[in-house]
Amino acid sequence: MRITVKSGPQGRHGIRVVGGLQGERGLERLLPASTGRDRALRRLLEGAGFRGARNETAFLPHGRGWVLAVGLGKAKELSLDTTRQFAATAARTVRARGHTSLSLPVLKERGLGASELVAQALTEGALLGLYRYDALREVPKEDRAKRIDAVTLVVERPSETGPARRGVAKAEVLAEAVRLVRDLINGPANLVTPTVLANEARRIARRYRLRCQVTPFARLKRLGFGGIVGVGQGSAHPAQFIVLDYRPARPAPGLGGARVKATFALCGKGITFDSGGLSLKPSSKMEQMKCDMSGAAAVLGTVQAAAALKLPVRIIGIIAATENMPSGTAQRPGDVIKTLSGKTIEVINTDAEGRLVLADCLHYAKRYKPDAVIDVATLTGACVVALGSEAIGLMTKDETLAARINQAGKRTYERVWRLPLWDEYAPMMKSDIADIKNVSNTGEAGTITAAKFLEIFTEGLRWAHLDIAGTAWTEKGKPYVPKGAVGIGVRLLIQLLEDWK
Ligand code: BES
Ligand code: ZN
Ligand code: ZN
């Protein structure tokens, strides 16, 4: 699909899309401004009952072609996120009607900001909204002939085309990474195995000339990765430990250019299927546990996007990829394992496996002496209970890091909500025979105690934990998030890294 930027009148580039703002009594005004002066169109839309409510649509013949009006909601609630929704609703509606191209106005309204940002939001919305996962159907559910070939973003003045094109280019990189993340998560666990995740990392490394090191199961055993080995030993698909290292190209001598601003380690939970292990999960909704590698997928997508955008930061993606399965070789409740750090863990519940594999990842991150470490994990069901599907759980003791992640969350609308990491939550994990056990006695504050567990392995690190258990997967869908994998994390992390000073 081609996305181009043009200045001047909006017609002639496929279905013309206009925005409607909602007022107290129905439609307040139409956007862009030139459309607002089209009295005939306004009367036509009002006649069709169009009020401008968010994501409301009206598809009407007008002039020599068709016009699609999409509601933006109330003017004072306009934001870059409503802009994303606007573009997604428009693109999906046009596709469903069997048309192949559309033009979107680069909106200029209070609360939206520069053309570059609006163009980025429109492009993200259109590309992410049009995503579908139908690679596995013999006959695609939706007619595959129905597809959008071209989107034209229309700016008012020629001077805006440059900035708008920059916004489009950035959004194309982000959307490609998010699509990759969604494909990996939507892909069933018999197809997306630990080896497949490792091959995906290798593919990214080849394409962007990054360093990639994959350590297979047998070596992990010898090297003492007891957390990953304990979780992986019950599976027929061997666990893989993946390190994908992006270093920005050194600027040519004397030319100045970007210096490496900071080094980040991103740790991803990559459980390709979480059956619970011998502490087997109930069968209802167990199929959703193919999404338990969403953190790992987000890390892969973030490294890919950072490399494509040539961000001036070093990023080391550290991923533990394995299944959590019951079998004759699986770890048992009561087993004691020795992690890479040397600390021993009594495994009370084999379903609390994410923290076991992340213990090894976080300890491993120390060798890079990173400026910050962020782990991303579908870690706890308790996070789904506490925050539902709108907020990522954020836990860190570092106020500055918390503020920066929060800011990135607001800008991308991948919003985070902070939970405390007070030390009073910690003693619940004392074991009678090992250094710690992997679940707390009380069952209280499950998201926080899981984070307190991880904290033990982050000594000396500046660290933040993102629990995406509630936000990685959606049964409802939204205009730019079709049902299934959300692809959360990439836009948030790239925004954070971009804004890093
Ligand atoms: N992968 C799950 C958490 C999860 C639940 C992710 C729902 C996405 C949606 C995790 O490994 C798990 O099973 N956690 C247990 C921990 C408990 C045994 C202490 C949980 O949350 O129930
Ligand atoms: Zn589990
Ligand atoms: Zn899990």
Side-chain angles (χ1 to χ4, degrees):
M1 188 175 90
R2 260 183 74 75
I3 301 182
T4 45
V5 177
K6 296 261 161 67
S7 74
Q10 208 188 333
R12 297 191 307 277
H13 304 293
I15 305 298
R16 175 181 161 209
V17 179
V18 303
L21 288 172
Q22 183 178 23
E24 293 298 330
R25 293 177 300 273
L27 184 60
E28 183 179 290
R29 85 197 139 87
L30 291 173
L31 297 175
S34 50
T35 304
R37 291 188 285 273
D38 188 340
R39 294 260 174 91
L41 178 59
R42 186 187 168 106
R43 268 198 302 280
L44 202 62
L45 286 168
E46 281 176 334
F50 181 75
R51 296 172 302 125
R54 199 179 293 172
N55 297 311
E56 179 189 0
T57 59
F59 194 74
L60 301 166
H62 181 64
R64 267 169 294 165
W66 292 88
V67 165
L68 170 64
V70 176
L72 285 154
K74 302 200 178 88
K76 62 176 189 298
E77 288 166 13
L78 259 187
S79 68
L80 288 175
D81 199 64
T82 51
T83 305
R84 273 182 213 105
Q85 295 179 34
F86 166 76
T89 303
R92 288 169 76 161
T93 307
V94 169
R95 181 175 68 185
R97 296 271 179 163
H99 296 270
T100 56
S101 58
L102 64 148
S103 74
L104 294 164
V106 178
L107 304 170
K108 287 180 105 165
E109 284 291 311
R110 276 185 51 198
L112 289 185
S115 312
E116 177 169 353
L117 294 178
V118 176
Q120 184 185 336
L122 288 169
T123 307
E124 287 172 3
L127 291 174
L128 297 178
L130 290 171
Y131 173 88
R132 51 191 172 192
Y133 187 75
D134 58 7
L136 304 180
R137 296 178 200 279
E138 187 184 13
V139 181
K141 184 167 139 220
E142 292 165 87
D143 188 353
R144 215 176 291 176
K146 281 190 180 172
R147 44 175 250 150
I148 302 288
D149 296 321
V151 177
T152 309
L153 302 192
V154 181
V155 292
E156 274 174 23
R157 280 191 233 111
S159 62
E160 294 169 76
T161 48
R165 282 190 183 128
R166 280 200 297 279
V168 170
K170 187 185 287 179
E172 286 181 319
V173 168
L174 289 169
E176 190 190 342
V178 173
R179 284 198 304 260
L180 164 69
V181 174
R182 287 180 182 173
D183 281 347
L184 289 173
I185 300 170
N186 283 327
N190 63 328
L191 302 181
V192 183
T193 58
T195 316
V196 167
L197 287 183
N199 287 339
E200 205 56 48
R202 290 185 179 108
R203 189 191 57 75
I204 295 168
R206 265 198 306 279
R207 181 166 161 199
Y208 296 100
R209 306 168 129 270
L210 316 181
R211 257 193 259 174
C212 177
Q213 193 186 56
V214 178
T215 313
F217 186 70
R219 252 183 88 71
L220 292 175
K221 262 185 174 164
R222 265 183 278 132
L223 295 173
F225 286 71
I228 301 175
V229 168
V231 175
Q233 70 190 29
S235 169
H237 295 291
Q240 312 281 326
F241 181 70
I242 305 162
V243 178
L244 184 60
D245 187 350
Y246 161 64
R247 290 160 179 258
R250 213 174 309 147
L255 289 177
R259 276 180 304 114
V260 181
K261 283 200 213 157
T263 297
F264 294 88
L266 301 179
C267 299
K269 171 177 174 182
I271 304 296
T272 56
F273 188 72
D274 183 9
S275 70
L278 283 172
S279 311
L280 194 64
K281 284 181 181 297
S283 57
S284 154
K285 294 272 173 74
M286 200 203 270
E287 73 279 4
Q288 261 181 32
M289 281 302 127
K290 70 177 179 182
C291 84
D292 214 20
M293 35 57 75
S294 297
V299 169
L300 288 177
T302 302
V303 177
Q304 168 172 306
L309 294 170
K310 300 192 166 73
L311 294 190
V313 291
R314 181 177 179 197
I315 307 169
I316 304 119
I318 302 173
I319 290 168
T322 175
E323 286 189 313
N324 184 25
M325 298 292 272
S327 78
T329 59
Q331 66 178 347
R332 294 149 286 253
D335 282 5
V336 174
I337 59 178
K338 187 166 179 181
T339 59
L340 191 62
S341 71
K343 292 203 169 57
T344 57
I345 304 172
E346 186 185 5
V347 180
I348 302 294
N349 188 324
T350 64
D351 196 12
E353 85 297 342
R355 60 196 78 180
L356 303 180
V357 301
L358 284 173
D360 285 346
C361 293
L362 289 166
H363 181 78
Y364 189 85
K366 290 172 190 164
R367 71 180 58 195
Y368 296 96
K369 303 199 178 351
D371 295 291
V373 181
I374 301 174
D375 76 82
V376 194
T378 46
L379 202 64
T380 64
C383 190
V384 190
V385 176
L387 298 175
S389 52
E390 291 301 329
I392 296 168
L394 163 65
M395 281 142 277
T396 178
K397 280 183 174 164
D398 190 298
E399 298 298 328
T400 320
L401 194 53
R404 285 176 171 184
I405 295 173
N406 190 46
Q407 186 62 25
K410 284 184 178 168
R411 291 196 57 183
T412 55
Y413 220 64
E414 295 195 331
R415 292 169 298 174
V416 302
W417 198 260
R418 196 171 172 193
L419 299 171
L421 259 191
W422 298 323
D423 289 338
E424 284 80 354
Y425 286 103
M428 302 174 188
M429 279 169 307
K430 285 205 168 115
S431 161
D432 292 335
I433 61 168
D435 295 327
I436 38 172
K437 57 184 181 181
N438 76 333
V439 292
S440 87
N441 292 333
T442 65
E444 284 177 7
T447 303
I448 297 170
T449 53
K452 289 306 284 184
F453 182 98
L454 297 181
E455 188 187 34
I456 295 167
F457 302 90
T458 64
E459 216 168 274
L461 293 173
R462 185 180 185 199
W463 164 69
H465 163 57
L466 298 175
D467 194 333
I468 57 169
T471 45
W473 186 266
T474 175
E475 288 292 313
K476 293 195 299 266
K478 287 185 188 176
Y480 63 90
V481 187
K483 261 172 68 167
V486 175
I488 201 155
V490 173
R491 292 193 300 112
L492 171 74
L493 290 168
I494 291 292
Q495 188 73 54
L496 175 79
L497 300 173
E498 254 192 319
D499 294 344
W500 198 266
K501 275 185 213 71

